[in-house]
Amino acid sequence: MEEPTRLLRSKGLRSTSQRRAVLAALQGFPHSTASEIEARIGAAGAKASSGLSRQGLYNVLDDLTSARLIRVIEPAGSPARYELRVGDNHHHLACRACGAIKDVDCAIGAAPCLDPVADEGFLIDEAEITWWGLCARCRPDTV
């Protein structure tokens, strides 16, 4: 990942300790919930969190999502999850049993990958695809 201060400034955002802490908490942990991010920031020590409240965390997540520095996915039955992988048109596999989520590259490459039967006048630029099933650890034939 590009240096956080430069990355934030390139998107017109101030480089605050809270924003840098959230970006750091997501590194190496794709598909993190806000609670997981909060725990990681707390585990990094008080200096890293700089007094980041729960509402402050959600404000930072919203700012970073709006600037397209992070992506939010909202699988059915799961809290919102955040990842650093943005702008590459990838999709997700989700396990119905354990909730594991894995990235999967788009086979087509170019967004939106799929076209609806009727676009109802929308100018479509993206399709989010989540395939649901059982991961290798949860499949009955592999237990």
Side-chain angles (χ1 to χ4, degrees):
M1 182 174 82
E2 189 179 333
E3 195 268 322
T5 295
R6 188 180 358 244
L7 191 60
L8 289 161
R9 289 184 178 153
S10 75
K11 295 293 189 167
L13 295 174
R14 288 184 315 123
S15 177
T16 64
S17 60
Q18 293 90 346
R19 288 173 177 160
R20 291 190 307 270
V22 169
L23 289 172
L26 280 168
Q27 254 191 336
F29 298 97
H31 318 121
S32 294
T33 65
S35 295
E36 292 167 340
I37 294 167
E38 183 178 42
R40 256 182 244 116
I41 291 171
K47 185 176 180 185
S49 68
S50 298
L52 187 60
S53 67
R54 173 66 58 101
Q55 184 57 53
L57 173 60
Y58 281 105
N59 291 344
V60 168
L61 290 169
D62 187 51
D63 291 344
L64 296 175
T65 301
S66 294
R68 295 182 185 254
L69 288 173
I70 64 173
R71 179 179 177 188
V72 61
I73 61 169
E74 300 181 58
S78 172
R81 296 176 174 272
Y82 300 88
E83 63 183 341
L84 291 171
R85 191 173 170 187
V86 297
D88 67 349
N89 197 41
H90 75 279
H91 306 295
H92 297 95
L93 298 167
C95 180
R96 291 185 189 281
C98 70
I101 298 174
K102 299 289 182 188
D103 289 337
V104 77
D105 291 330
C106 179
I108 305 293
C113 303
L114 298 171
D115 294 313
V117 174
D119 66 18
E120 302 296 329
F122 281 71
L123 176 60
I124 297 173
D125 61 8
E126 184 178 15
E128 286 188 16
I129 301 166
T130 302
W131 288 277
W132 291 91
L134 296 176
C135 69
R137 288 190 307 155
C138 294
R139 286 176 40 188
D141 61 327
T142 59
V143 176

